[in-house]
Amino acid sequence: MSDLGITIGIEVHIQLLSKTKMFCRCRNSYGDEPNTNICPTCMGLPGALPTVNERATRMGVMLASALECKINKNVPYHRKNYFYPDLPKGYQITQFYTPLGSDGKLRVYIDKKPKDILIERIHLEEDSGKMFHDGDITTSTSSLLDYNRCGAPLAEIVTKPCMKSAEEAWGYLVGLRNLVRFLEVSTGNMDEGALRCDVNVSIDNPDGSLGTKTEIKNLNSFRSARRAIEFEVERQKKIIDSGNKVVTQTLHFNENTGETSPMRSKEELNDYRYFPEPDIPPLILTDTEIDEIRSETPETPNTMLERFMNDYKLSLYDSQVLTADRDISSFFEESLKFYNNPKKVCNWLTIESFGKLAKENKSLGDSNLTPENLAKLVKMVTEGTITGNAGKEILDDVISGHDPEVIAEKKGLKAVVDEDMISDIISKVLAENDKQLTAYKNGKTQLFGFFVGAVMKESKGKAPGNIVQKILKKMLTES
């Protein structure tokens, strides 16, 4: 099969979290009773006039700024004309010739290596309604329409054709979702339609130039996007290998079969008959307004990731885990206020605590774990007040909201740090295991671990391992 490279570009629609729709006062809410959040404006009835949502506009500027885009100060709205049952007006109000932002980037890490995904443009527009099909869209015989989503505020983000694998596309989508959640401009929940993507795929020409692209529409999960790309790449390669040409098409991805199928021929720009929106004046932004919005923009996941690696000396992997969710990163940094040991706190949060929670299908937000109690537990283990095993033993209680100091005292798990007492325990263990002691002296030094385990068992896990090993080494040398 052809070994030519592939090129991928992605268009993502982000539904913004303003309380009302983009051009009217209707409630912008997911999951409400169908066709209850509608009005003459979002239904396109004669005489209804749109007004621009200021809050959604500020969210768009914030997102454009976080993507390091050039912010355009004079942005006219246009009408994009097309007929579809879920678009009652017969057109969509959007920003076309001059987008809100352009020439940005989002850094992702693929196989631990950074790659900047180049952003061509970000513009604001309104959403269409939602269609519910009787079965798969390609075989459905009937559909229902919910117009609640009509007019919901959207930010459309279009990348340049710069991704070279399904893995890079997946990394970009995950990174973008994390970004919008950190900025609190969208839930990013793909299952609710708050983040939807269209993927353009092409096989490169032999000279390295871009080949004929196809567009896969309305992918609603990261897994679907990856599967759709992988299938489409193989489909196009088979066409090329057979001596035929790929045809420009808009495709549908079937979740059940994992295959793409044609929906229609790809539209050209002139099919949409763009023209300036006559009922809305251009969006005019001043430097003062842009600077004000930038000052309100929270720290982005990428900025935080770099800070965690530089300031806390954490690995890329640890930093990625901590910055994958804003609540997790906030919890981590709050814990450090009580005990400033970043690596230890990170391990007990992301490995031990998350491991316990995962077994119960719970997240951090589902627990009663507090930053202060986690920090107390880590400090107790690190400073030898309790052993690591004892810390793991009481972790369930700590996750349930209990103070680790109180629980350790109540369960009698405070560490034995009296070296004379530990020496007595070691002497007893050596005396009871004379055969193993003789073998150790005859060169079977791997038995050292056996003695450590036996001492820990005799002390009921209360003797700190580092102290046990230090004293044991000395006593074995002297015996």
Side-chain angles (χ1 to χ4, degrees), residues 184-431:
E184 296 183 336
V185 299
S186 176
T187 65
N189 294 335
M190 297 189 78
D191 57 329
E192 297 177 0
L195 189 154
R196 311 189 298 275
C197 68
D198 304 332
V199 176
N200 295 302
V201 179
S202 66
I203 305 300
D204 297 342
N205 292 317
D207 63 1
S209 62
L210 294 178
T212 302
K213 72 177 180 180
T214 58
E215 181 180 30
I216 311 168
K217 296 288 287 186
N218 299 324
L219 297 166
N220 57 12
S221 74
F222 299 141
R223 181 171 180 268
S224 293
R226 188 200 295 264
R227 291 173 65 208
I229 291 170
E230 290 172 345
F231 177 84
E232 183 59 16
V233 166
E234 295 306 306
R235 187 187 75 87
Q236 291 189 23
K237 284 185 175 181
K238 288 178 181 177
I239 292 173
I240 294 171
D241 288 343
S242 66
N244 296 312
K245 292 184 178 180
V246 175
V247 177
T248 300
Q249 288 177 313
T250 297
L251 304 172
H252 164 70
F253 177 69
N254 189 312
E255 295 278 356
N256 296 323
T257 65
E259 299 178 350
T260 60
S261 58
M263 291 173 64
R264 57 182 181 268
S265 60
K266 182 73 176 137
E267 297 91 341
E268 301 297 333
L269 288 179
N270 56 9
D271 292 332
Y272 293 121
R273 295 178 291 113
Y274 284 97
F275 65 84
E277 168 57 59
D279 294 329
I280 302 177
L283 169 65
I284 306 297
L285 295 168
T286 66
D287 288 332
T288 300
E289 288 170 330
I290 294 172
D291 289 342
E292 178 187 333
I293 294 171
R294 280 177 172 159
S295 69
E296 297 171 356
T297 303
E299 186 177 22
T300 68
N302 277 344
T303 303
M304 184 178 288
L305 181 143
E306 292 178 4
R307 180 167 63 82
F308 279 17
M309 289 193 292
N310 293 330
D311 294 355
Y312 300 140
K313 309 305 178 186
L314 296 175
S315 68
L316 171 62
Y317 175 79
D318 285 342
S319 300
Q320 285 178 315
V321 172
L322 291 170
T323 59
D325 183 278
R326 187 172 180 176
D327 290 339
I328 293 173
S329 58
S330 296
F331 189 102
F332 169 72
E333 294 209 276
E334 187 65 24
S335 300
L336 296 184
K337 295 178 182 178
F338 298 98
Y339 184 56
N340 189 19
N341 191 323
K343 181 57 179 175
K344 295 288 187 181
V345 170
C346 174
N347 288 346
W348 277 87
L349 176 61
T350 63
I351 299 175
E352 305 298 343
S353 300
F354 285 1
K356 293 271 189 182
L357 291 168
K359 290 179 181 179
E360 301 178 13
N361 291 319
K362 291 183 178 179
S363 65
L364 184 61
D366 298 324
S367 75
N368 292 316
L369 182 65
T370 67
E372 182 176 6
N373 281 345
L374 177 69
K376 277 186 181 180
L377 177 64
V378 177
K379 183 177 181 180
M380 290 168 68
V381 172
T382 304
E383 296 184 354
T385 306
I386 59 174
T387 65
N389 287 335
K392 294 176 184 179
E393 184 177 333
I394 66 173
L395 183 55
D396 281 328
D397 296 297
V398 178
I399 289 175
S400 297
H402 297 288
D403 187 315
E405 293 178 347
V406 174
I407 295 299
E409 186 69 42
K410 183 178 179 180
K411 294 188 174 183
L413 293 174
K414 291 291 184 73
V416 175
V417 293
D418 186 323
E419 294 197 5
D420 290 337
M421 188 178 297
I422 293 174
S423 296
D424 291 341
I425 294 173
I426 292 175
S427 295
K428 180 182 178 183
V429 167
L430 295 179

Side-chain angles (χ1 to χ4, degrees), residues 16-172:
L16 301 175
L17 273 177
S18 61
K19 293 181 180 179
T20 57
K21 296 184 181 181
M22 189 67 201
F23 300 113
C24 68
R25 299 289 295 171
C26 286
R27 175 181 167 89
N28 177 35
S29 176
Y30 173 81
D32 289 356
E33 190 71 20
N35 297 312
T36 55
N37 300 330
I38 57 177
C39 73
T41 300
C42 54
M43 293 299 290
L45 299 183
L49 293 174
T51 54
V52 178
N53 186 322
E54 179 184 358
R55 179 60 183 154
T57 301
R58 293 177 71 89
M59 287 181 175
V61 175
M62 184 179 292
L63 183 52
S65 176
L67 289 169
E68 302 182 45
C69 290
K70 170 194 172 186
I71 308 295
N72 295 307
K73 299 176 186 176
N74 188 325
V75 185
Y77 284 94
H78 286 77
R79 287 190 184 182
K80 178 181 181 182
N81 297 273
Y82 65 96
F83 171 79
Y84 208 66
D86 60 6
L87 192 69
K89 290 189 294 191
Y91 64 87
Q92 178 190 44
I93 301 176
T94 184
Q95 296 168 341
F96 177 53
Y97 290 109
T98 306
L100 179 66
S102 54
D103 296 325
K105 63 183 179 182
L106 178 66
R107 175 160 293 184
V108 300
Y109 288 84
I110 307 299
D111 295 329
K112 299 183 180 180
K113 296 179 181 178
K115 173 163 183 171
D116 289 337
I117 306 300
L118 304 179
I119 307 298
E120 182 176 294
R121 59 184 285 137
I122 171 174
H123 61 263
L124 299 179
E125 59 188 24
E126 60 181 336
D127 209 344
S128 59
K130 186 174 182 180
M131 298 184 70
F132 296 86
H133 303 286
D134 177 21
D136 185 77
I137 188 172
T138 57
T139 59
S140 175
T141 57
S142 64
S143 300
L144 295 175
L145 286 161
D146 178 10
Y147 288 116
N148 278 350
R149 203 173 68 181
C150 277
L154 289 181
E156 180 174 356
I157 303 168
V158 182
T159 73
K160 294 183 179 180
C162 61
M163 286 165 271
K164 293 296 181 180
S165 69
E167 188 69 19
E168 288 185 7
W170 180 86
Y172 167 70

